[in-house]
Amino acid sequence: MEQAEVRQKVLDIIEDVALDEDLSNLDDSVALRDQLDLDSMDFLDIVMELKKRHKIEVPQEDYPQLATMDSCVTYLTPKFNQ
Amino acid sequence: MPIPNIPVERSFDPQDTQYDAIVIGAGMSGMAAAIRLGMFDKKVLLLEKHIISGGLNSYYSRSKIPFDVGLHALTNFAQKKERRRPLTKLLKQLRIPYEEFKLTEQFKSQIHFPEVKLGFTNDIDYFIQEIENHFPHEKDNFLKLLEDIKGFNEVALDNPYQSAKEKLAQFIRDPLLQEMILCPLLIYGSAWEMDMDYSQFVIMFKSIYLEGFGRPEGGVRTIIQALINKMKEANVEVCYRNGVSEIIVDNNQVKGVITSRGQTITAPLILSSAGLPETLGLIPTETKTSTSPTPKTGKMSFTEAIYITKKKPQLYGNDQTIVFYNNSEKYNYRCPDQFIDPQSAVLCFPNNFKYQNNHQGPFADDFDQGVLRITMMANYDKWNEAKSIGREFYLSEKEKVNQKSLELLSRHLPHFDPSEITFKDIFTPTTVERYTGHFGGCVYGSPDKTRDGSTAYKGLVICGTDQGFLGIIGSMLSGISMANLYGLMGQQ
Ligand SMILES: Cc1cc2nc3c(=O)[nH]c(=O)nc-3n(C[C@H](O)[C@H](O)[C@H](O)COP(=O)(O)OP(=O)(O)OC[C@H]3O[C@@H](n4cnc5c(N)ncnc54)[C@H](O)[C@@H]3O)c2cc1C
């Protein structure tokens, strides 16, 4: 799976988790937390959705890898391709 | 506008005998917890002993008029997309669109003491102004208190108990203002008499003075229906009229439950919203391993008189949403010696919200008529005793509540005409106990809270009131947090 596709999958999840947020101006290199109203509860949801939709497990110690969209894509692409 | 009815559910017996999690109680916290677990494919069974959902904030009809049990106002009002608000968090976690709760804001409310009346709205600046008007020397102190409150992490699960009164006195000098600030916060959420835990104080302060009051159009049914829809979507299995009569514990580990309809259901995780002493009471003594003392039963219970009147409260001369009335300089928040304490009360006028949707006319709101609700502190033991003495005696005591409530209404509604009451209903602490199973008819749970939800038994978790978050919004957040912590993050 290409990185662009992985990005879209993550975006789909964030769209559902952060129901009322506008995602069109997302800066991929800036922490998601600083751009969107996301707290630890919401990051839990992103992790849970990755598992539910794509059977991808993110262990708790790897949560920091999900900080920005760029880091999400870098971290998740190999997992999507496993 | 007719209030939509919630269809009665008729499933009583669970379809299976083995689940990932059992949730006890279909109140606000239990439903929210069940949704979270179900959303992520846990196999969840929700057992409720009553015939409908809602718990302490349920609904009923008399003479075809729809009533809400609790709902005066929803605390923690937030505008759509307002960040970091409990309401916003909760809607996000349950994936419920903001519009679905159909929230309308209050007009204004009042803390009504003999010498001073302080008004507040959903805008804290209004309250600051009121304080400046009546207590000019306290304004700066109040601003400092606000700073402390804003910086305090009230939801940390390990905050130690600290007296709110002592803490408040470090900022506010005037004892009258201390009492007035505390009054709404105590009666809208303290399990402790005369004082409360500072964390709880901060939770209540933010939810009432900083965020404020709203009301779902259609009343509590609107929220319950949204939760029921979500439970369906999340494949939560709900059984009504099937309570838990025993929690099976083996070697300190929870194994499952026996239901009141006699089935044994197993699950490694049980989230209970029945209350801490109530839940521990479901474990048979012989399997109890914990030697810690039984948590205390909360003492705070209430009577409530609800009147339907031909005219709306504004026409009787009152446009307040909620009046926190107290007849002396000191606010005695405690279980009274007598049946009720008529020296203080909460008067709630649900017509007085800024209704927007689907209503026409000058006083357009949910109701065709006026609705007046009066809540007073009450002594459960007295009411329980009255019940055992006999129906007639119980009814005569209820009549006294009626008389006191009418007196109060006449005082607060200058043009009130009691002959225009078309219907009245009064409930007492024994009513609360009967419908929610809370020992002593207590509304704010036990003063012994388990802030992290844990019990001495592995897999047995408390959510809702006795985990420490209460009110409609608080208890839902509690259910969500406990489901996240113990069901999804796989702790314990
Ligand atoms: C008169 C009144 C007015 C109120 N006004 C407001 C208000 O204006 N605003 C506000 O925010 N909050 C208000 N509240 C408080 C609010 O209703 C509660 O804090 C909240 O609903 C608590 O929810 P909960 O899930 O913790 O507990 P509960 O609602 O008590 O839920 C517990 C559920 O468990 C069920 N149960 C108990 N034992 C068993 C068992 N053994 N097996 C199966 N099921 C069981 C009960 O039937 C109940 O449905 C009011 C409460 C009352 C009584």
Side-chain angles (χ1 to χ4, degrees):
Chain A
M1 195 182 285
E2 298 289 318
Q3 295 209 335
E5 253 177 289
V6 172
R7 183 183 187 278
Q8 189 54 48
K9 298 245 184 289
V10 175
L11 208 59
D12 290 345
I13 290 177
I14 297 178
E15 208 160 41
D16 288 343
V17 169
L19 217 55
D20 292 318
E21 296 274 355
D22 174 15
L23 302 179
S24 50
N25 295 319
L26 211 60
D27 183 337
D28 286 13
S29 63
V30 175
L32 291 165
R33 225 183 241 273
D34 296 338
Q35 306 177 72
L36 306 168
D37 185 23
L38 294 178
D39 60 14
S40 54
M41 279 178 157
D42 302 314
F43 277 92
L44 171 66
D45 273 34
I46 296 174
V47 171
M48 296 301 299
E49 289 294 343
L50 283 166
K51 185 169 159 199
K52 184 173 162 180
R53 297 182 197 186
H54 309 293
K55 310 266 172 299
I56 288 177
E57 300 263 3
V58 181
Q60 206 156 348
E61 61 271 18
D62 288 352
Y63 283 12
Q65 310 278 355
L66 304 180
T68 68
M69 184 54 106
D70 281 340
S71 67
C72 279
V73 173
T74 311
Y75 173 73
L76 292 171
T77 307
K79 293 195 175 258
F80 269 99
N81 289 321
Q82 253 166 32
Chain B
M1 194 188 70
I3 292 176
N5 234 326
I6 298 176
V8 179
E9 302 281 338
R10 301 223 174 270
S11 39
F12 304 136
D13 292 319
Q15 287 165 8
D16 208 340
T17 53
Q18 230 179 331
Y19 291 83
D20 293 331
I22 296 169
V23 178
I24 304 179
M28 298 293 166
S29 64
M31 287 193 280
I35 292 169
R36 285 294 297 170
L37 297 172
M39 257 167 80
F40 297 109
D41 300 333
K42 303 276 178 208
K43 191 171 156 195
V44 190
L45 175 66
L46 174 55
L47 292 167
E48 167 57 54
K49 67 176 180 183
H50 192 29
I51 185 77
I52 52 172
S53 339
L56 284 168
N57 233 305
S58 192
Y59 56 92
Y60 62 99
S61 294
R62 290 272 185 284
S63 304
K64 296 202 176 132
I65 308 170
F67 288 98
D68 285 341
V69 176
L71 188 71
H72 282 181
L74 199 96
T75 57
N76 304 90
F77 180 82
Q79 302 288 350
K80 185 173 177 171
K81 288 193 192 182
E82 220 176 317
R83 294 185 162 207
R84 315 220 179 278
R85 297 292 202 191
L87 176 67
T88 320
K89 275 183 200 222
L90 163 143
L91 291 170
K92 248 194 312 176
Q93 286 276 299
L94 300 180
R95 312 240 174 116
I96 295 176
Y98 180 86
E99 291 73 18
E100 230 173 279
F101 278 9
K102 298 190 185 155
L103 292 179
T104 61
E105 287 190 72
Q106 66 163 329
F107 289 164
K108 55 184 190 226
S109 294
Q110 191 181 58
I111 309 162
H112 187 117
F113 277 47
E115 303 298 327
V116 183
K117 288 144 199 60
L118 283 180
F120 66 93
T121 63
N122 289 359
D123 175 5
I124 185 70
D125 290 336
Y126 184 90
F127 194 39
I128 295 172
Q129 187 61 54
E130 284 279 289
I131 288 177
E132 189 175 5
N133 293 347
H134 296 281
F135 300 91
H137 48 290
E138 293 284 4
K139 185 189 168 188
D140 289 340
N141 298 338
F142 184 73
L143 292 178
K144 286 192 193 118
L145 172 69
L146 267 182
E147 280 316 301
D148 191 79
I149 285 170
K150 285 182 181 164
F152 188 84
N153 182 12
E154 71 279 13
V155 293
L157 298 179
D158 52 0
N159 285 338
Y161 177 89
Q162 189 179 4
S163 154
K165 273 197 173 160
E166 282 170 21
K167 188 86 197 256
L168 193 55
Q170 292 170 13
F171 294 92
I172 309 286
R173 300 242 167 67
D174 193 321
L176 177 60
L177 182 57
Q178 292 171 11
E179 295 284 310
M180 291 185 83
I181 292 173
L182 266 166
C183 165
L185 312 187
L186 285 167
I187 194 148
Y188 266 10
S190 177
W192 299 270
E193 295 178 274
M194 298 309 279
D195 198 354
M196 69 204 296
D197 177 25
Y198 189 65
S199 298
Q200 190 67 36
F201 172 87
V202 174
I203 290 177
M204 297 302 300
F205 191 103
K206 288 182 176 169
S207 75
I208 293 177
Y209 296 132
L210 293 181
E211 293 159 23
F213 293 143
R215 183 175 187 280
E217 292 193 23
V220 79
R221 284 172 174 79
T222 303
I223 291 180
I224 292 175
Q225 187 64 64
L227 296 174
I228 289 177
N229 295 346
K230 275 288 156 186
M231 288 200 290
K232 287 220 172 89
E233 249 179 77
N235 292 316
V236 173
E237 194 183 329
V238 194
C239 294
Y240 294 92
R241 240 183 218 166
N242 199 357
V244 168
S245 48
E246 186 180 319
I247 295 176
I248 308 165
V249 173
D250 183 20
N251 219 350
N252 248 22
Q253 163 75 48
V254 117
K255 294 286 173 200
V257 301
I258 300 174
T259 73
S260 55
R261 291 167 68 85
Q263 303 101 326
T264 300
I265 316 279
T266 60
L269 175 65
I270 296 178
L271 285 152
S272 173
S273 68
L276 182 57
E278 291 84 348
T279 301
L280 297 179
L282 294 171
I283 304 171
T285 334
E286 61 277 15
T287 55
K288 269 197 184 137
T289 43
S290 165
T291 48
S292 41
T294 315
K296 293 186 275 298
T297 295
K299 287 213 169 273
M300 292 315 298
S301 192
F302 307 95
T303 57
E304 180 147 301
I306 307 169
Y307 300 93
I308 304 293
T309 51
K310 283 190 184 146
K311 292 195 204 106
K312 297 190 176 179
Q314 289 193 56
L315 288 177
Y316 294 133
N318 198 318
D319 64 351
Q320 304 284 339
T321 305
I322 302 192
V323 178
F324 298 90
Y325 163 79
N326 185 46
N327 196 20
S328 77
E329 300 240 310
K330 203 162 162 47
Y331 182 57
N332 286 314
Y333 179 76
R334 60 174 177 219
C335 174
D337 302 335
Q338 301 303 313
F339 281 81
I340 51 166
D341 178 1
Q343 296 307 315
S344 71
V346 180
L347 292 84
C348 165
F349 307 122
N351 301 89
N352 293 342
F353 282 86
K354 297 175 184 164
Y355 294 89
Q356 295 145 358
N357 306 325
N358 312 322
H359 303 295
Q360 282 165 359
F363 301 112
D365 57 39
D366 264 8
F367 311 96
D368 300 329
Q369 298 141 308
V371 182
L372 319 173
R373 313 182 63 125
I374 294 93
T375 310
M376 285 186 269
M377 292 179 241
N379 179 319
Y380 167 82
D381 291 335
K382 289 268 176 196
W383 286 99
N384 198 30
E385 202 182 294
K387 269 238 141 122
S388 61
I389 290 171
R391 191 174 153 77
E392 214 163 297
F393 181 60
Y394 177 77
L395 290 180
S396 72
E397 287 303 323
K398 257 176 115 160
E399 180 50 29
K400 289 185 194 159
V401 175
N402 180 36
Q403 290 308 325
K404 289 287 175 200
S405 304
L406 291 176
E407 269 173 42
L408 272 175
L409 284 175
S410 306
R411 209 173 304 163
H412 289 268
L413 305 169
H415 315 303
F416 180 57
D417 177 358
S419 76
E420 293 185 342
I421 293 172
T422 55
F423 189 82
K424 75 161 197 287
D425 193 35
I426 292 170
F427 69 76
T428 75
T430 53
T431 328
V432 176
E433 183 180 48
R434 178 148 56 101
Y435 286 109
T436 69
H438 286 297
F439 292 166
C442 80
V443 171
Y444 300 133
S446 170
D448 300 321
K449 305 286 182 200
T450 161
R451 289 302 292 262
D452 63 2
S454 66
T455 63
Y457 304 92
K458 229 171 157 239
L460 180 61
V461 175
I462 301 296
C463 69
T465 312
D466 279 347
Q467 183 262 318
F469 298 167
L470 44 77
I472 298 172
I473 300 295
S475 53
M476 280 195 263
L477 268 180
S478 165
I480 291 169
S481 322
M482 294 303 110
N484 286 352
L485 190 58
Y486 295 98
L488 301 180
M489 288 161 68
Q491 287 205 5
Q492 213 193 17

